[in-house]
Every structure is written in C-alpha cells, then in structure tokens.
Amino acid sequence: MTDTTRLDTLEIHIAQQQQAIDDLSEALALQQKDIERLKAQLHRSDSRIAELEAGLPAAASEKPPHY
C-alpha cells in the first residue's frame, strides 16, 4: 500500500466519520425539539386537568349506601 493510497483511505474514513457525526447531531437536535414540544403539551394537559378537577364537587368521606 503506497503512502498516497493510505492517505486517501484515511481521508475517506475521516469524511465518513464526520458525516456520521453530523447525522447524529441533527437527529439529536430534532429529538430535543420533540422533547420540548412534548413537555409544553404535558404542561398544558396538567393545567387543563387541574382546572377540570377544581370544578368537581368535593369527594364525600362517607361510605356509599351499599356498604
């Protein structure tokens, strides 16, 4: 294997690794956006559930009549 061939092989390998790193970085950024969107959606759902629970009558501490 000549020095030129070895150098070409190393450059190709480095380029492939850089592409893999770029692809992983992009995937991570997309996942982070999804996580932030889901957190906001969960927060809105929690707020809505709290509003609905606030409108419910208080739970009775008595046992139901069938006991």
Side-chain angles (χ1 to χ4, degrees):
M1 190 178 244
T2 65
D3 287 341
T4 305
T5 306
R6 287 184 62 198
L7 184 59
D8 289 343
T9 303
L10 287 172
E11 287 177 347
I12 291 169
H13 187 68
I14 289 170
Q16 290 171 343
Q17 286 184 341
Q18 185 61 48
Q19 183 61 46
I21 289 170
D22 291 344
D23 292 346
L24 290 171
S25 179
E26 184 179 343
L28 183 62
L30 290 173
Q31 287 177 349
Q32 186 61 37
K33 286 180 184 178
D34 285 344
I35 288 170
E36 293 301 321
R37 181 182 53 81
L38 290 169
K39 280 182 178 180
Q41 186 177 5
L42 180 62
H43 180 71
R44 287 190 305 271
S45 295
D46 286 345
S47 297
R48 181 68 179 134
I49 289 171
E51 288 174 9
L52 293 172
E53 286 177 342
L56 292 176
S61 59
E62 300 175 9
K63 290 185 178 181
H66 63 279
Y67 277 102

